[in-house]
Amino acid sequence: MKKILSLLVFSFSFFVASAQSTKFDYFFHEALRQKLAQNYAAAIDLLDYCCKLNPESGAALYELADLYRYVDADSLAISALEKASKLYPGNYWYKNHLVMLYLNSRRNEEALAQVEEMAQQFPEKGEVLMMLLELYGQNSDYENMVKVLDKIEL
């Protein structure tokens, strides 16, 4: 009897999780459709709902950040991407997009800190070293510029 009860509980939880996933997929794809139709407010509402269904969806947070940029809500875009980057610390694209948002918002210190972290995490990405070199140059940090140039030469 215990085995049957356990199997029923497992089956029910699988069904609920599957239904949530299907619901999320529907609303996520509808949000992307609205984004393509340039119905940004509707797309934002749908992606907000997706984030309620699955608060750990990096894709929903990334798309939400992108939409917030379209409607000039940079602080909300940054917040969404910071959350996505924390949830998925190995995702290069989330971090790269976050750097661009920091720079567009003139939050250069945060951009520099993020790029320094990325240079450690993604040493194979030459574009990260080039961004780091540029940011050090803007700060007249010649000592660190030389260090980056040494890494580029290797």
Side-chain angles (χ1 to χ4, degrees):
M1 182 69 175
K2 279 187 173 181
K3 285 185 179 182
I4 293 174
L5 186 59
S6 295
L7 184 60
L8 285 173
V9 168
F10 176 76
S11 297
F12 179 73
S13 63
F14 178 76
F15 173 75
V16 169
S18 179
Q20 277 294 93
S21 177
T22 302
K23 192 175 186 180
F24 174 88
D25 289 346
Y26 171 79
F27 286 106
F28 183 78
H29 288 103
E30 181 60 23
L32 294 180
R33 194 176 75 72
Q34 293 298 324
K35 178 183 173 185
L36 288 173
Q38 298 181 349
N39 296 329
Y40 301 135
I44 287 170
D45 288 344
L46 290 164
L47 286 169
D48 274 335
Y49 185 65
C50 287
C51 288
K52 287 180 180 122
L53 291 173
N54 182 358
E56 296 185 358
S57 172
L61 289 165
Y62 182 87
E63 289 296 333
L64 197 53
D66 203 34
L67 284 162
Y68 283 142
R69 266 191 10 183
Y70 290 156
V71 297
D72 294 323
D74 287 347
S75 63
L76 292 173
I78 287 171
S79 178
L81 267 177
E82 285 174 339
K83 185 174 181 184
S85 293
K86 284 179 185 158
L87 287 169
Y88 299 94
N91 189 306
Y92 169 81
W93 297 106
Y94 293 171
K95 291 183 176 201
N96 188 55
H97 198 79
L98 181 57
V99 168
M100 296 305 136
L101 286 173
Y102 282 150
L103 291 172
N104 288 340
S105 298
R106 293 180 174 47
R107 293 167 65 172
N108 293 355
E109 288 181 24
E110 291 163 289
L112 177 59
Q114 185 69 45
V115 175
E116 286 174 334
E117 181 183 313
M118 290 173 67
Q120 295 294 316
Q121 189 174 7
F122 307 107
E124 73 283 359
K125 300 279 189 186
E127 60 270 19
V128 173
L129 292 177
M130 296 306 289
M131 276 193 292
L132 193 54
L133 186 64
E134 185 176 333
L135 290 171
Y136 284 145
Q138 290 173 5
N139 291 338
S140 301
D141 187 348
Y142 303 118
E143 185 177 327
N144 277 322
M145 285 181 75
V146 170
K147 289 178 185 176
V148 172
L149 286 169
D150 287 342
K151 285 181 185 178
I152 291 172
E153 280 185 3
L154 298 175

